[in-house]
């Protein structure tokens, strides 16, 4: 019986050491369900601010904004490949592009792009032309949006409510 407790104790110590090594190397991030809360705490974002967000298995984009759309900030998290767990903050702030147009954030090494806008252009849909098929994503033209889409999988076009194309402004993070 003493051997069982000794083996269990050894296993617990080894797991604790492994956890501490991973944590100290920055290989343990925020779980998918806690990304918004982590961003609010880390960036001191008021709880009264609304959020537009989009999360995939590899990226999460959030646009936080006040009631009047006069103040805003964004946060982008990525899920690293390899031996890491959770999502990690990659970039954030406000560039004024989100206010004027659509900011297109590309992160080196990732096959997705984050599109963020306070939607002053009244974007109502996104069209993804994959060659043989066209996928359409509807957007509420009266609200800000954040959307994560695959890059290189087709032509992506944003249309305002009048049917005009709205150009994006690319930013490399």
């Amino acid at each position: 019986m003493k051997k069982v407790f000794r083996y269990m104790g050894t296993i617990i110590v080894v797991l604790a050491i492994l956890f501490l090594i991973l944590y100290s190397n920055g290989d343990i991030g925020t779980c998918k369900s806690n990304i918004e809360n982590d961003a609010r705490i880390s960036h001191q974002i008021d709880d009264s601010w609304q959020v537009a967000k989009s999360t995939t298995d590899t990226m999460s984009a959030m646009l936080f904004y006040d009631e009047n759309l006069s103040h805003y900030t964004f946060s982008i998290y990525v899920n690293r490949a390899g031996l890491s767990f959770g999502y990690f903050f990659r970039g954030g702030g406000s560039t004024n592009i989100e206010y004027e147009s659509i900011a297109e954030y590309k992160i080196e090494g990732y096959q997705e792009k984050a599109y963020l806008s306070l939607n002053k252009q009244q974007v109502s849909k996104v069209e993804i032309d994959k060659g043989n098929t066209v996928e359409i994503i509807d957007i509420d033209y009266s609200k800000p949006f954040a959307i994560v889409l695959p890059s290189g999988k087709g032509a992506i076009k944003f249309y305002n409510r009048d049917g005009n194309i709205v150009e994006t402004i690319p930013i490399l993070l």
Side-chain angles (χ1 to χ4, degrees):
M1 190 67 153
K2 288 183 180 183
K3 286 184 179 183
V4 172
F5 285 122
R6 182 181 297 161
Y7 289 131
M8 287 179 58
T10 303
I11 290 171
I12 291 171
V13 169
V14 168
L15 289 175
I17 290 171
L18 180 62
F19 176 81
L20 288 173
I21 290 170
L22 288 172
Y23 185 76
S24 65
N25 286 338
D27 292 327
I28 298 179
T30 302
C31 66
K32 193 174 192 177
S33 62
N34 198 37
I35 297 172
E36 180 183 338
N37 189 44
D38 184 71
R40 285 186 184 273
I41 291 169
S42 299
H43 300 48
Q44 300 174 357
I45 298 170
D46 192 278
D47 287 338
S48 67
W49 282 23
Q50 299 288 322
V51 63
K53 63 183 174 181
S54 177
T55 302
T56 65
D57 289 338
T58 57
M59 187 180 294
S60 181
M62 296 165 285
L63 180 64
F64 298 93
Y65 54 94
D66 67 0
E67 182 179 319
N68 302 324
L69 301 179
S70 57
H71 296 90
Y72 69 94
T73 188
F74 73 91
S75 290
I76 297 177
Y77 284 67
V78 294
N79 190 353
R80 297 180 195 156
L83 184 62
S84 68
F85 304 96
Y87 289 77
F88 299 85
F89 176 74
R90 181 57 191 245
S94 57
T95 63
N96 203 34
I97 294 171
E98 297 87 7
Y99 186 82
E100 299 294 330
S101 187
I102 302 169
E104 174 187 318
Y105 291 98
K106 172 74 174 130
I107 298 175
E108 192 173 333
Y110 288 85
Q111 296 301 312
E112 295 177 315
K113 293 180 182 177
Y115 297 89
L116 305 171
S117 177
L118 288 176
N119 211 2
K120 298 293 184 181
Q121 316 77 14
Q122 297 183 326
V123 172
S124 63
K125 73 176 179 177
V126 180
E127 183 179 275
I128 306 168
D129 187 349
K130 298 178 180 179
N132 297 341
T133 61
V134 175
E135 180 182 349
I136 294 177
I137 301 171
D138 292 321
I139 295 175
D140 185 344
Y141 68 85
S142 65
K143 294 182 179 178
F145 66 88
I147 188 166
V148 176
L149 297 173
S151 63
K153 302 290 185 197
I156 297 172
K157 294 180 184 174
F158 290 83
Y159 292 91
N160 67 12
R161 69 187 255 194
D162 296 327
N164 299 319
I165 294 175
V166 179
E167 297 295 327
T168 62
I169 299 173
I171 301 169
L172 183 63
L173 275 181

